[in-house]
Amino acid sequence: MSEDVPVKGLRRVELRSNDPAGSAEYYRRLFGWIVMPADDGTLRCWVGDRLAALIRRPADWETPGWHLVLGGRPTALLADPAGVTATLDPGRVRHGPWAPPPRHGEPCWVELMTADTTDDYWAQHLGWTLRAPGEGSDIKPFALFDAPDDGSAARSVASRLLVDEATATDVGATWMCYLAATDIKLVTDTAVEGGGTVLIDPREVPTGVIAAVADPFGAVCTLLEDPIGWGGAWAAV
């Protein structure tokens, strides 16, 4: 367990890409990211003064795609029984319910998509509790992970969605990364122009207006239009 639980949000997201430069250019067109190469060969992508994402080649044992880097100590790689991973990294949380509202191109929510109930694993390691979003609701198939804060009410940091085995096999158990989009139709159109694929057209869900896109290299993220805060509509729940 982290020495600093509860974990209250993200340091950043990482995009592990076999073509870091191509990925960086694709997302720069979508979100206007400021892309800055680092001495270690990674590409650091900024929205204003906040680091939104880091793009790098995956190590031999890593799966390409989006990966969460959560604010917590000590540094650790977490892997639940279903094989879903996340990294703990010491330092300031830049994205979460206690951080400033997400801007266009910034991470704005994360959702655990899994066919297995691994809630206890993440609750134990991150200091979270699981909550149904409505009174009298069951935590299946959807629930919120909450983190307490000294002197204030708990807030939702992430969600969990149980999917069927076929979906889990096709998509894979994963943490889905949501990115804020001021104009979701414009971003999906730009994604297609850049060689990406719209997997879910813009639609209204309890979180807000979302769309899902795959970039030209296969990495999938969800867009959330103009969220009022971390988690969109969940920020007010």
Side-chain angles (χ1 to χ4, degrees):
M1 180 184 293
S2 166
E3 295 174 1
D4 263 1
V5 294
V7 168
K8 297 180 180 178
L10 294 175
R11 295 269 291 142
R12 63 183 180 276
V13 291
E14 288 188 1
L15 178 55
R16 297 167 176 176
S17 170
N18 291 317
D19 184 352
S23 293
E25 176 58 21
Y26 173 84
Y27 288 99
R28 185 197 65 77
R29 291 186 61 199
L30 262 59
F31 299 117
W33 283 351
I34 300 170
V35 180
M36 301 180 65
D39 293 339
D40 61 2
T42 62
L43 299 172
R44 298 175 184 267
C45 305
W46 297 80
V47 175
D49 59 350
R50 292 202 290 269
L51 181 64
L54 183 151
I55 302 177
R56 63 174 177 84
R57 291 188 181 278
D60 292 340
W61 52 272
E62 293 175 336
T63 302
W66 294 95
H67 180 79
L68 304 191
V69 180
L70 298 154
R73 292 189 311 207
T75 300
L77 176 65
L78 304 178
D80 75 13
V84 180
T85 64
T87 297
L88 289 178
D89 184 49
R92 179 171 60 90
V93 169
R94 298 186 179 93
H95 313 283
W98 287 276
R103 297 174 292 194
H104 178 71
E106 287 188 328
C108 61
W109 189 240
V110 290
E111 182 169 83
L112 176 63
M113 298 178 63
T114 180
D116 299 314
T117 304
T118 58
D119 306 332
D120 290 346
Y121 177 89
W122 296 104
Q124 175 188 352
H125 286 82
L126 303 178
W128 294 347
T129 57
L130 201 67
R131 172 174 63 92
E135 287 189 24
S137 298
D138 189 4
I139 63 170
K140 295 181 180 181
F142 179 84
L144 299 169
F145 282 115
D146 289 348
D149 186 51
D150 293 339
S152 67
R155 298 186 187 182
S156 297
V157 181
S159 56
R160 187 269 286 134
L161 178 66
L162 291 178
V163 297
D164 57 44
E165 292 286 352
T167 301
T169 300
D170 185 40
V171 178
T174 188
W175 281 106
M176 175 62 69
C177 174
Y178 284 61
L179 298 172
T182 301
D183 184 334
I184 201 166
K185 181 63 165 58
L186 176 60
V187 174
T188 54
D189 288 348
T190 305
V192 172
E193 291 169 3
T197 304
V198 176
L199 304 178
I200 299 176
D201 289 321
R203 66 183 62 178
E204 183 84 30
V205 299
T207 317
V209 178
I210 68 161
V213 296
D215 69 23
F217 312 100
V220 177
C221 70
T222 297
L223 307 173
L224 178 57
E225 187 168 56
D226 204 16
I228 61 172
W230 180 256
W234 300 126
V237 174

